[in-house]
Amino acid sequence: MNSNWLAPFSSHQSSLPFKKLSELFDFAQFTTWPNAAGLNRLKRQSKADVNHSPDFICQSQLGNNEDYYEQYIFNHHRIPTRPDNWHDFFNGLIWLQFPQTKRLLNQLHIEDITQFGLHPRSHRRNKLTHFDECGVVLAIECGQHENAIQGRMPELLRQHEWRQVFVDNRRQWGATIHSFMFGHANLEMLLQPFIGLTGKWLSVEVPSGFGDLSGFEQLALTDQLLCKKITDENVFAQKNGLFPLPLLGIPDVTEASEDPRYYDNNDYFRPRSKYHGK
């Protein structure tokens, strides 16, 4: 990875989210920014479900089209992409990893736009946007008995039991608890990480042995289960359907987290009683 455009990405190669992306996609083939054409090439090369992922189109090629962003994707089956832009590049990579869920979110946006108009945004569209930008998906393998830590992990996360989550059960991360960045803004901000960086998580239960699957096999199953969860539980219509997750607390995202004392920072790893988010 010697291309100048990749320099910020390459400097964080040891960070888990970027390591996963490098294992899935061949970025070294591009000597300049991939942009829309490059994302289309990655789509053809990948083992993703290309039937669910629209093509990408450069923003400059839209002409005088007046469709709102979500409307354009829905109506034209293409994703407008700004050139030389990390935010849109990462958004494209999320489409290639979670095509069914991204299409579902787009459909839900359109349903609310049709019912309530573009402005002001509905409560559900605000939630959809928040998860689309900052979401984290946790695929948790089924425990062998009801007291297995995997089964209790969602509640520990909801209660901000950060030391139990990240320190006492650190070995479970990557073994039976698998994290996937869904929010493309998360990835952009992780290029310049800072204490305070926080995502919103949703979890799905996956079968034992999930970790033995290939990267795209894991993604395909997670994508399917995430769609089902969002639909069955009407997640984004709930008042408190999303919960915070300190991104730099996830094992292997930053080297600093290898020291258990790192999690003593209560301003970042806030106890539940001190959190006032929605």
Side-chain angles (χ1 to χ4, degrees):
M1 289 191 174
N2 297 319
S3 302
N4 289 334
W5 79 272
L6 268 176
F9 187 102
S10 301
S11 66
H12 294 284
Q13 276 297 95
S14 62
S15 180
L16 180 64
F18 299 120
K19 181 179 179 181
K20 285 186 173 184
L21 290 178
S22 295
E23 291 172 349
L24 292 169
F25 303 105
D26 176 18
F27 300 126
Q29 66 183 294
F30 302 105
T31 57
T32 59
W33 276 90
N35 298 327
L39 286 166
N40 286 328
R41 185 195 301 181
L42 289 174
K43 173 183 171 180
R44 293 192 299 269
Q45 294 172 348
S46 77
K47 297 178 182 179
D49 183 355
V50 296
N51 292 322
H52 286 91
S53 178
D55 287 333
F56 300 90
I57 182 171
C58 183
Q59 188 82 23
S60 64
Q61 297 178 6
L62 299 185
N64 296 322
N65 190 285
E66 296 183 356
D67 280 348
Y68 178 71
Y69 177 78
E70 298 291 348
Q71 292 173 316
Y72 188 91
I73 294 174
F74 187 83
N75 292 333
H76 300 277
H77 200 61
R78 284 180 170 80
I79 303 164
T81 304
R82 292 169 293 184
D84 301 2
N85 184 281
W86 283 113
H87 194 81
D88 286 14
F89 174 66
F90 286 136
N91 179 50
L93 296 182
I94 301 301
W95 269 100
L96 296 183
Q97 294 172 86
F98 296 95
Q100 293 187 56
T101 302
K102 290 284 278 186
R103 281 182 65 87
L104 174 60
L105 267 55
N106 177 247
Q107 176 185 326
L108 295 177
H109 271 289
I110 295 302
E111 288 178 3
D112 277 22
I113 290 171
T114 301
Q115 183 174 358
F116 303 110
L118 275 172
H119 305 291
R121 283 175 174 264
S122 64
H123 169 82
R124 186 167 71 164
R125 284 182 63 210
N126 282 332
K127 292 281 187 179
L128 288 165
T129 301
H130 200 169
F131 187 72
D132 194 43
E133 297 281 349
C134 302
V136 182
V137 184
L138 302 178
I140 303 177
E141 295 191 26
C142 304
Q144 296 182 357
H145 53 81
E146 61 182 10
N147 292 321
I149 185 60
Q150 299 97 298
R152 295 188 286 120
M153 188 57 65
E155 184 58 26
L156 292 174
L157 285 162
R158 281 190 286 268
Q159 296 303 322
H160 297 200
E161 297 291 348
W162 304 123
R163 291 197 71 86
Q164 286 194 62
V165 168
F166 293 132
V167 180
D168 298 347
N169 293 287
R170 192 173 188 83
R171 292 183 179 180
Q172 298 299 324
W173 290 82
T176 61
I177 302 168
H178 310 270
S179 63
F180 300 93
M181 289 294 167
F182 186 91
H184 49 285
N186 286 348
L187 291 167
E188 183 181 23
M189 289 186 286
L190 282 169
L191 291 174
Q192 295 180 306
F194 57 91
I195 293 296
L197 186 53
T198 302
K200 296 288 187 176
W201 65 271
L202 287 176
S203 67
V204 294
E205 188 176 279
V206 296
S208 178
F210 175 87
D212 296 328
L213 301 175
S214 70
F216 274 111
E217 287 174 333
Q218 291 182 8
L219 287 165
L221 179 56
T222 303
D223 193 20
Q224 176 186 346
L225 294 173
L226 184 59
C227 274
K228 187 176 188 308
K229 180 187 184 76
I230 290 170
T231 302
D232 290 352
E233 300 180 17
N234 201 11
V235 168
F236 297 108
Q238 297 180 26
K239 182 178 180 181
N240 296 312
L242 298 173
F243 298 88
L245 181 67
L247 298 183
L248 302 187
I250 299 172
D252 298 320
V253 171
T254 177
E255 290 183 4
S257 70
E258 295 176 7
D259 185 344
R261 293 173 295 181
Y262 174 75
Y263 296 94
D264 292 338
N265 181 353
N266 288 335
D267 289 332
Y268 186 32
F269 301 101
R270 298 181 182 183
R272 178 66 180 171
S273 60
K274 293 183 180 180
Y275 183 74
H276 301 292
K278 298 297 184 182

